[in-house]
Amino acid sequence: MISFASICEWLDLTTLQYHWQVVVISALLCSILFEVSQSLSPLLFPKAFQHFKGYTPTNWHIHVVSTLHAVIITIGSLVILSDGNLSQNRVFGYSPFAANIYSISCGYFVWDVITAILYIKNQGVSMVCHGVAAFLVLFLSYRPFINYYGAVFLLYEASTPFLNFNWFMDKLGWTGSKAQLVNGIFLISIFFLARIVFGFYMSYWLWVDICAVKDLVPLRYWIVYFAANAMTSFLNVYWFGLMIRSLRKRFDSDASTTTNNNINNRNLDSAAAANKV
């Protein structure tokens, strides 16, 4: 009889056999949190929800799940980066804690892909593809592969809560408020530090380390991770500029018309995709 462990060995994903349960539990908890938000959020924000129409309530609950995932993953990533043993073997090193953090995120993206498919008319095919790509990158880490550097890229999620808070404030009627301004400053600062400064710096060292053991890295890993790293690096720069323009317009007294506000909302919603790893 074929065992799950033998399947993992055949897939060259050895450590998956120890962490698949976390992936499943994470996906289920995301679904539960989504349902809890459906029950509690209208009670906590009745004035806002009575004006919501169409996809907006569902999008609110998706943002709730996204925010909690980002907080957990950010804290976990900081712990991983402080792991001295894992940092000694940054390409092939293995840490049960790191793998569990990646499994939590992997489970989240399973839920995210299913949700994107269910609401594909609202989210579009691109979000389905994005979720699949993010899942694949995390899934291949079970070789194990770059368990250290994985935390660097999950740390991109540090900016997600602030982007989501900005979205929540819009829906609560706080657009242009001082609270949104302060949140916007934190959003831009953390996005720039985590994704542009730290992200580009660590991307360089990632490829230095991989090239040092290039004969041990399968071709499919080169293709997947190079494509993912190149695309996210480009998008981080693009979305950073997009966010700055959008946030500047929000607080520009000459840009208070409905048209400009709608443009700003769409720009920030587009930038939200960059905060999903």
Side-chain angles (χ1 to χ4, degrees):
M1 182 177 179
I2 299 177
S3 65
F4 184 72
S6 63
I7 295 176
C8 293
E9 294 287 349
W10 179 74
L11 291 173
D12 198 19
L13 301 172
T14 308
T15 63
L16 176 61
Q17 61 186 301
Y18 309 119
H19 302 283
W20 67 268
Q21 303 93 330
V22 180
V23 177
V24 174
I25 292 173
S26 174
L28 290 175
L29 288 177
C30 286
S31 298
I32 292 172
L33 180 59
F34 182 85
E35 296 298 328
V36 170
S37 180
Q38 285 187 313
S39 299
L40 291 184
S41 293
L43 297 177
L44 295 174
F45 307 100
K47 292 183 179 180
F49 268 79
Q50 69 181 351
H51 298 296
F52 287 171
K53 296 180 181 179
Y55 176 66
T56 303
T58 300
N59 204 9
W60 175 287
H61 309 313
I62 291 174
H63 277 74
V64 169
V65 179
S66 169
T67 301
L68 182 60
H69 165 258
V71 171
I72 294 173
I73 292 305
T74 297
I75 295 173
S77 297
L78 291 173
V79 175
I80 293 171
L81 291 174
S82 65
D83 186 336
N85 292 326
L86 193 58
S87 65
Q88 293 177 6
N89 187 353
R90 296 186 288 191
V91 178
F92 299 119
Y94 168 70
S95 161
F97 176 82
N100 279 331
I101 292 297
Y102 300 147
S103 297
I104 291 173
S105 198
C106 206
Y108 166 78
F109 280 108
V110 170
W111 174 84
D112 184 62
V113 169
I114 294 173
T115 302
I117 293 173
L118 290 175
Y119 299 100
I120 194 168
K121 290 183 179 179
N122 305 101
Q123 296 196 24
V125 176
S126 62
M127 290 307 296
V128 177
C129 295
H130 175 272
V132 171
F135 171 80
L136 181 61
V137 169
L138 290 166
F139 194 66
L140 291 178
S141 70
Y142 293 113
R143 189 174 195 264
F145 187 69
I146 61 169
N147 273 203
Y148 176 80
Y149 284 107
V152 174
F153 304 111
L154 283 186
L155 199 58
Y156 288 176
E157 289 283 343
S159 60
T160 297
F162 298 97
L163 183 59
N164 287 350
F165 290 157
N166 189 83
W167 187 89
F168 287 134
M169 289 179 187
D170 279 340
K171 303 309 175 186
L172 293 173
W174 296 357
T175 302
S177 64
K178 290 184 179 179
Q180 193 177 53
L181 175 60
V182 172
N183 181 77
I185 293 172
F186 275 104
L187 167 59
I188 291 177
S189 300
I190 293 175
F191 191 102
F192 178 71
L193 292 174
R195 289 173 172 264
I196 307 299
V197 178
F198 190 61
F200 273 74
Y201 173 77
M202 293 303 288
S203 290
Y204 168 77
W205 285 110
L206 164 68
W207 293 107
V208 168
D209 286 343
I210 289 179
C211 288
V213 292
K214 58 182 182 295
D215 294 335
L216 301 176
V217 180
L219 178 60
R220 62 183 180 277
Y221 280 75
W222 282 94
I223 296 173
V224 170
Y225 283 93
F226 181 80
N229 188 216
M231 182 59 68
T232 54
S233 295
F234 168 78
L235 289 176
N236 283 338
V237 174
Y238 171 73
W239 268 308
F240 181 66
L242 193 65
M243 284 193 296
I244 290 179
R245 291 195 298 271
S246 298
L247 290 171
R248 285 180 60 185
K249 289 180 181 179
R250 282 174 183 269
F251 299 96
D252 187 342
S253 59
D254 295 328
S256 59
T257 65
T258 301
T259 300
N260 282 330
N261 283 335
N262 288 338
I263 292 173
N264 295 335
N265 289 337
R266 289 196 298 271
N267 286 345
L268 283 173
D269 285 343
S270 297
N275 285 266
K276 285 190 173 182
V277 183

